[in-house]
């Protein structure tokens, strides 16, 4: 139910997210974004939870089975900071979303015009949060992942 | 020839870029990204320049007609500060890219897996820079474009 180019782009985007999550250390995970913004862990939660949030609307069974990377305390959502757990759920989420998208016979209740559009929206959403996550790292004195890892996967040269 | 869902995503992404440009004032263009990063104007010029640079690898005739939005000043390149011109070039260059991608019979020398991958990369690239533009505005105490401007266009609800 998805086009080959969107599938390929999803796999590239998954590779980029993995490179970013592999780059993170325990010291980096609580770094705040300037302007009282999200911590690195909260950006990661946005990247991993949003595809599930929308994905439930076309495949509740598969997407609903994905673990949540937050704990609810009162009115607050506390983002997971364990990097091993983050990497494990990231791989599982990317793989499950792709399989569910490929298997879907309709877009169900998804508020996008197609599953392809939903996936492209999620890739843009990831890139928005990666851009802000990098600024959280930079302004807190941490090194950034190499450009080859963040942009290189899009190209085949 | 590119598929309909990607054409639609391209148009959505263009609308979001134009919504951001509509939100900006000349004062906001000079706001700098935290961590001694790019100004808002430099982000926008880079977004437009990236499309022109890579697009020429498969359709030099069309993409070369996109105006450069920077002025050579002594030893550095300064972005133009005319918002009207930026809006016009953003709109026209994105329309031109879609026309060109749709008419292309091969990817030429483009170092991507396909023209479709290239367009999805540009969508992600734009989102990365919009995320940083939002932070440049926030940390310089300017109002932000709302969710309606930057996220709602992806959804039909």
């Amino acid at each position: 139910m998805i086009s080959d180019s969107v599938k390929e782009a999803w796999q590239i985007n998954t590779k980029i997210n993995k490179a970013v999550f592999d780059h993170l250390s325990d010291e980096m995970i609580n770094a705040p974004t300037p302007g009282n913004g999200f911590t690195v862990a909260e950006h990661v939660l946005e990247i991993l939870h949003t595809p599930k949030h929308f994905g439930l609307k076309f495949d509740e069974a598969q997407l609903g089975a994905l673990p949540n990377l937050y704990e609810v305390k009162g009115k607050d959502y506390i983002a997971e900071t364990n990097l091993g757990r983050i990497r494990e759920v990231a791989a599982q989420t990317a793989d499950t979303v792709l399989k569910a998208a490929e298997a879907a016979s309709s877009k169900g209740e998804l508020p996008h015009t197609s599953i392809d559009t939903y996936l492209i929206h999620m890739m843009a959403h990831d890139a928005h949060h990666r851009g802000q996550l990098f600024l959280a790292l930079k302004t807190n004195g941490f090194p950034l992942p190499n450009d080859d890892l963040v942009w290189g996967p899009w190209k085949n040269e | 020839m590119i598929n309909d869902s990607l054409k639609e995503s391209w148009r959505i992404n263009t609308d979001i870029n134009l919504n951001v440009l509509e939100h900006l004032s000349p004062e906001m263009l000079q706001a700098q990204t935290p961590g001694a990063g790019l100004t808002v104007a430099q982000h926008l010029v880079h977004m437009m320049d990236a499309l022109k640079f890579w697009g020429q690898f498969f359709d030099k005739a069309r993409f070369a007609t996109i105006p450069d939005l920077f002025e050579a000043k002594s030893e550095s390149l300064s972005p133009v500060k005319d918002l009207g011109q930026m809006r016009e070039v953003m709109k026209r260059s994105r329309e031109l890219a879609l026309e060109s991608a749709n008419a292309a019979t091969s990817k030429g020398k483009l170092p991507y897996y396909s023209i479709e991958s290239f367009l999805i990369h540009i969508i992600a690239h734009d989102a990365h820079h919009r995320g940083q533009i939002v932070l440049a505005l926030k940390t310089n105490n300017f109002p932000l474009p709302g969710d309606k401007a930057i996220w709602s266009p992806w959804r039909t609800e």
Side-chain angles (χ1 to χ4, degrees):
Chain A
M1 179 86 186
I2 62 171
S3 64
D4 288 345
S5 56
V6 171
K7 179 179 177 179
E8 179 187 78
W10 184 260
Q11 288 163 335
I12 290 169
N13 187 65
T14 299
K15 200 171 172 182
I16 295 169
N17 282 343
K18 183 180 184 306
V20 173
F21 300 153
D22 286 347
H23 172 81
L24 297 177
S25 67
D26 291 337
E27 292 71 32
M28 298 177 189
I29 200 76
N30 289 311
T33 307
N36 295 316
F38 284 168
T39 63
V40 168
E42 288 167 336
H43 283 298
V44 170
L45 176 59
E46 277 287 326
I47 289 170
L48 297 181
H49 187 69
T50 307
K52 174 179 175 176
H53 168 78
F54 284 114
L56 288 169
K57 297 177 192 295
F58 75 92
D59 190 338
E60 189 165 1
Q62 284 207 70
L63 280 297
L66 287 170
N68 289 325
L69 276 180
Y70 59 82
E71 196 184 332
V72 183
K73 283 190 178 170
K75 288 181 181 173
D76 296 327
Y77 285 72
I78 312 298
E80 176 66 67
T81 55
N82 181 302
L83 280 165
R85 182 73 177 141
I86 286 170
R87 289 170 188 142
E88 182 189 345
V89 174
Q92 194 182 346
T93 301
D95 187 49
T96 305
V97 168
L98 184 57
K99 281 183 180 151
E102 284 187 291
S105 55
S106 88
K107 74 180 186 80
E109 302 294 317
L110 203 58
H112 300 76
T113 53
S114 67
I115 293 182
D116 268 356
T117 308
Y118 149 72
L119 292 174
I120 295 172
H121 172 200
M122 293 302 97
M123 290 186 257
H125 182 259
D126 287 4
H128 171 99
H129 282 283
R130 285 196 303 263
Q132 296 199 343
L133 186 158
F134 293 163
L135 289 180
L137 295 179
K138 187 178 181 187
T139 55
N140 286 280
F142 292 115
L144 301 183
N146 191 294
D147 265 8
D148 289 347
L149 297 173
V150 176
W151 296 113
W154 288 105
K155 304 191 191 80
N156 67 347
E157 58 188 355
Chain B
M1 194 70 169
I2 59 172
N3 70 55
D4 287 345
S5 55
L6 180 51
K7 275 185 208 167
E8 188 206 19
S9 296
W10 185 258
R11 291 189 187 110
I12 290 170
N13 185 64
T14 300
D15 287 346
I16 295 170
N17 286 342
L18 292 171
N19 289 344
V20 170
L21 275 160
E22 202 55 47
H23 172 82
L24 296 175
S25 65
E27 295 71 32
M28 295 179 192
L29 283 179
Q30 306 311 313
Q32 191 176 17
T33 309
L38 301 180
T39 63
V40 169
Q42 286 169 329
H43 279 294
L44 290 162
V45 169
H46 174 66
M47 286 158 66
M48 290 187 260
D49 194 48
L51 176 67
K52 175 177 179 174
F53 177 81
W54 293 109
Q56 290 186 73
F57 282 80
F58 75 93
D59 188 348
K60 193 170 175 66
R62 273 194 174 94
F63 283 90
T65 66
I66 298 174
D68 290 322
L69 280 178
F70 49 78
E71 301 156 347
K73 278 192 178 174
S74 64
E75 291 176 0
S76 62
L77 293 172
S78 255
V80 299
K81 298 177 185 68
D82 181 338
L83 271 167
Q85 191 186 3
M86 280 191 177
R87 289 172 188 141
E88 190 184 311
V89 173
M90 176 65 80
K91 187 170 187 297
R92 183 60 200 132
S93 63
R94 301 306 161 126
E95 288 167 353
L96 176 152
L98 196 54
E99 288 162 14
S100 175
N102 210 36
T105 51
S106 90
K107 72 183 182 86
K109 292 183 177 172
L110 195 65
Y112 289 78
Y113 298 97
S114 64
I115 291 177
E116 292 186 336
S117 284
F118 162 66
L119 294 180
I120 297 173
H121 175 203
I122 293 290
I123 292 172
H125 183 257
D126 284 357
H128 169 98
H129 284 282
R130 286 195 303 265
Q132 298 201 342
I133 286 172
V134 168
L135 281 184
L137 295 177
K138 188 177 183 187
T139 55
N140 286 280
N141 299 315
F142 288 113
L144 305 184
D147 274 6
K148 198 173 169 187
I150 60 175
W151 294 118
S152 298
W154 288 106
R155 302 190 293 270
T156 53
E157 61 187 5

